[in-house]
Amino acid sequence: KGEIIMIEKRTTKQILVDSVLDLLSKKPIQKISVQEIAAHCHVSTRSFYNHFLDKQDIVNWIYLDKEKELFRNFNKGTSLHDSFLKLFSFVYDNMNIFLNIQTYTGQNNLSENIIEQAKKTMTAAIKANENITELDEETQFAIEFWLNGVIAMTAKWPKSPAPLPPADFLHLVEVATPQRLKPYICGENE
């Protein structure tokens, strides 16, 4: 008596996201159609297209939403190291999903979008931290080189017979980080 029950209202977008995540935990993205995603969560394909361009768009949205959540406090005292540890823990806890996403390498694939978004985030952070308007060519190269390596190794990580725990994987990422980026990635000299 007098008990209040809170009901969480999920948006159609969140219902579609949950549906694609459930399907990705079982099979590769190429074997999932927009019609299957919509049917799986009992919405119309029209509703799907009201929110997303295609199935790659929803996968990219899921990643970008998670990235925003994990890196939101980066410039507010949370280190990039901690944000990466949370990101790698998320990948580790959802390895089947990531393995099934990686199978797609065509246009608008997740790896390309991660690199572009991360490049923007890192560039903005370095510019703000150093109070500069442009990065020199060497720093731009170091960012892109490092990000491509991290993405490639993160893609290989879940495929290994015994994937390292996230903290151990992050340690290797930090060891391989170019000196110019170490203050931002590893928290050195902070």
Side-chain angles (χ1 to χ4, degrees):
K1 183 178 176 180
E3 187 177 326
I4 298 175
I5 298 173
M6 299 295 287
I7 299 173
E8 180 184 339
K9 184 178 184 219
R10 296 184 330 156
T11 63
T12 302
K13 190 173 213 171
Q14 188 58 53
I15 291 167
L16 287 162
V17 165
D18 292 345
S19 176
V20 80
L21 287 172
D22 184 48
L23 291 167
L24 282 168
S25 70
K26 300 168 187 159
K27 59 184 173 178
I29 188 78
Q30 293 96 317
K31 296 189 178 199
I32 300 171
S33 68
V34 169
Q35 293 77 11
E36 183 178 8
I37 295 167
H40 186 71
C41 63
H42 310 288
V43 301
S44 68
T45 54
R46 182 178 180 152
S47 288
F48 178 92
Y49 288 115
N50 284 338
H51 296 280
F52 302 103
L53 297 173
D54 55 27
K55 61 187 180 180
Q56 276 309 121
D57 189 37
I58 192 171
V59 167
N60 288 324
W61 186 90
I62 291 167
Y63 172 79
L64 292 175
D65 187 58
K66 181 54 82 173
E67 181 189 71
K68 282 181 206 168
E69 175 189 326
L70 295 175
F71 288 84
R72 179 178 300 130
N73 296 317
F74 167 52
N75 286 327
K76 298 176 187 166
T78 300
S79 72
L80 196 51
H81 169 91
D82 293 340
S83 296
F84 272 113
L85 183 57
K86 289 177 186 173
L87 179 63
F88 291 145
S89 294
F90 176 74
V91 171
Y92 188 82
D93 293 341
N94 296 282
M95 282 199 178
N96 281 347
I97 292 171
F98 282 91
L99 286 169
N100 285 328
I101 290 171
Q102 291 175 25
T103 59
Y104 178 75
T105 57
Q107 183 178 2
N108 198 25
N109 72 66
L110 183 61
S111 293
E112 290 174 5
N113 283 307
I114 290 172
I115 289 169
E116 285 309 307
Q117 188 60 38
K119 192 166 37 170
K120 288 176 190 174
T121 300
M122 290 179 72
T123 298
I126 293 171
K127 284 179 177 180
N129 188 280
E130 297 181 7
N131 199 23
I132 56 177
T133 57
E134 293 299 320
L135 295 182
D136 60 81
E137 189 176 331
E138 286 180 13
T139 302
Q140 290 175 24
F141 181 84
I143 290 170
E144 193 154 348
F145 185 83
W146 182 80
L147 285 171
N148 276 284
V150 170
I151 295 302
M153 293 310 293
T154 303
K156 286 177 129 182
W157 176 38
K159 296 175 187 173
S160 67
L164 292 170
D168 294 347
F169 182 75
L170 177 57
H171 172 73
L172 294 177
V173 167
E174 290 176 338
V175 167
T177 299
Q179 195 61 40
R180 173 69 173 103
L181 303 180
K182 281 192 184 281
Y184 303 98
I185 308 305
C186 309
E188 294 178 8
N189 303 326
E190 287 186 342

